[in-house]
Amino acid sequence: MTDRALADLAYDMLSRSYVPYSKFPVGAALLCADGTVFTGCNVENAAYGSTICAERTALVKAVSEGHRDDFVKLAIVGNCSDFCAPCGACRQMLYEFAPNLELLLGREDREFIKTSLSDLFPMGFGPKSLN
Ligand code: THU
């Protein structure tokens, strides 16, 4: 799958976002080694702190379907003027399963940049830290 195709799957998810409070839709698409893609959107809640981000939605969908150590690339996109970077909680959640995950970060004009979780979240606390 091309980076463009993965990013487009994330853009498709913007219409599914439930964002009555922030009005800030985010879409995500997580590619696994076997080609499976898990998509996600942000789902907000009247108790604001119960909101789940788009990329965590995609991640928990993948893990709950049996994927753990085969994550290849994650696209995160938003209707924003700047490239949509993952929040701290999402960086931590992703680090648990894929500390070197490749990332595509997209903005409203559908341009995206490539980066990695290891660049955005160096020296994270992960499973090995508990040894
Ligand atoms: N949001 C995400 O979905 N992913 C991020 O990493 C950044 C923030 C969502 C949460 C909330 O619904 C909205 O964007 C505004 O914070």
Side-chain angles (χ1 to χ4, degrees):
M1 164 161 301
T2 64
D3 289 351
R4 181 75 264 168
L6 188 66
D8 284 346
L9 288 175
Y11 281 107
D12 287 345
M13 292 306 290
L14 291 174
S15 62
R16 300 259 175 94
S17 288
Y18 175 72
V19 288
Y21 308 107
S22 74
K23 318 261 195 257
F24 188 86
V26 180
L30 178 60
L31 175 66
C32 300
D34 66 0
T36 310
V37 176
F38 291 91
T39 55
C41 62
N42 48 340
V43 181
E44 298 187 343
N45 192 272
Y48 299 165
S50 298
T51 291
I52 184 163
C53 292
E55 55 273 52
R56 265 182 293 152
T57 301
L59 179 67
V60 296
K61 282 172 69 177
V63 173
S64 65
E65 293 297 323
H67 292 261
R68 272 190 196 173
D69 54 8
D70 58 340
F71 300 133
V72 173
K73 203 173 288 184
L74 170 68
I76 309 167
V77 307
N79 277 330
C80 35
S81 54
D82 216 344
F83 298 106
C84 191
C87 78
C90 288
R91 294 178 198 203
Q92 179 66 43
M93 280 284 288
L94 293 165
Y95 188 86
E96 178 81 13
F97 298 99
N100 300 309
L101 188 64
E102 290 181 60
L103 299 174
L104 308 177
L105 309 181
R107 62 185 183 191
E108 61 188 341
D109 63 1
R110 289 192 166 237
E111 291 294 311
F112 59 84
I113 54 165
K114 296 174 77 160
T115 182
S116 66
L117 189 61
S118 47
D119 278 347
L120 297 189
F121 199 61
M123 247 185 104
F125 187 89
K128 291 189 182 125
S129 309
L130 291 171
N131 287 341

